[in-house]
Amino acid sequence: MSESPQNIPVKPVIVAAAAKRANASIIGMLLAMLSTVAIVLVIVWLNPQQKAETYRQTVDVAAISAHAADTAGFTPSAPVLPEGWYANYARWNGAGTDGVAFWDVGFVTGANTFIALKQSSSANPTWTSTQAQNAPVTGTRNIAGHTWELRDKPKGDRSLVLTSGGVTTVLTGTADLKEFDVLAAATTKTVQSPTTSSDHVTKDAK
């Protein structure tokens, strides 16, 4: 039994011109993709992957300390530390509602942990406790001839606290105690007593 004309399947026929245009569109799309990939490869080649050290911001702690000294009334510590240590910020913070102005420096240790150094000549017990994250006193550590107060708690950062020459220094962070010792020893070498008006009078008289 032969199929009737209306039941015979019709095969679509693409004329040559349409086929040519379709092929041209595909080729154009492929060329565009290849061009994009080539551009990306060139950008990557010109901008190789940066190491973490590349993004390390250079902070001249000594220069910032010298600039802040007149305002602080003492020379904020700019400790000289072993190779591998670096500061990622240093600033002088004016007095807030607590009335305490302080020097604030962040150090990344050689083991890539962190310790913040905060220093003030107008510190009070509340400020000191806050900077030490309200951790209880758990002992002392004798470092370079100075007895630092150790504050620690099971969960959280540890702190070392020292008041010397009228300046209170608080070291707080996640580092190992041996690294705290390194920073504490370097810091005490730079602590100077606050300058008073009588000191200026004496110097002027001379």
Side-chain angles (χ1 to χ4, degrees):
M1 179 177 177
S2 61
E3 295 181 350
S4 60
Q6 62 270 25
N7 293 328
I8 298 175
V10 177
K11 295 182 178 180
V13 177
I14 302 176
V15 297
K20 186 176 181 180
R21 285 196 299 271
N23 290 334
S25 298
I26 294 173
I27 293 172
M29 183 173 63
L30 291 175
L31 289 175
M33 291 176 61
L34 290 173
S35 298
T36 301
V37 171
I39 292 171
V40 171
L41 290 175
V42 170
I43 292 173
V44 171
W45 180 72
L46 292 175
N47 297 276
Q49 184 176 3
Q50 305 293 326
K51 296 181 179 180
E53 291 79 4
T54 306
Y55 297 100
R56 182 185 300 174
Q57 181 179 358
T58 301
V59 178
D60 191 340
V61 178
I64 300 171
S65 167
H67 183 72
D70 288 340
T71 302
F74 67 97
T75 302
S77 290
V80 177
L81 295 164
E83 184 177 355
W85 288 63
Y86 67 93
N88 56 9
Y89 67 85
R91 59 198 174 217
W92 176 256
N93 293 286
T97 56
D98 58 3
V100 180
F102 62 97
W103 174 238
D104 187 11
V105 189
F107 291 102
V108 177
T109 74
N112 203 36
T113 52
F114 179 78
I115 305 176
L117 182 160
K118 298 184 181 182
Q119 206 167 51
S120 177
S121 61
S122 57
N124 57 53
T126 300
W127 179 86
T128 301
S129 180
T130 299
Q131 302 312 313
Q133 300 185 357
N134 298 311
V137 177
T138 56
T140 60
R141 289 182 73 80
N142 190 284
I143 306 165
H146 291 80
T147 301
W148 291 73
E149 186 178 74
L150 173 63
R151 300 190 180 203
D152 205 350
K153 52 186 176 182
K155 294 183 179 180
D157 298 345
R158 58 170 53 97
S159 299
L160 289 180
V161 180
L162 173 70
T163 298
S164 176
V167 175
T168 296
T169 302
V170 182
L171 308 180
T172 302
T174 58
D176 185 84
L177 281 174
K178 291 182 179 180
E179 292 178 307
F180 270 87
D181 292 349
V182 171
L183 180 55
T187 299
T188 52
K189 292 180 181 179
T190 65
V191 173
Q192 298 181 14
S193 300
T195 302
T196 63
S197 56
S198 59
D199 293 332
H200 288 297
V201 171
T202 304
K203 292 177 182 178
D204 291 342
K206 292 180 180 179

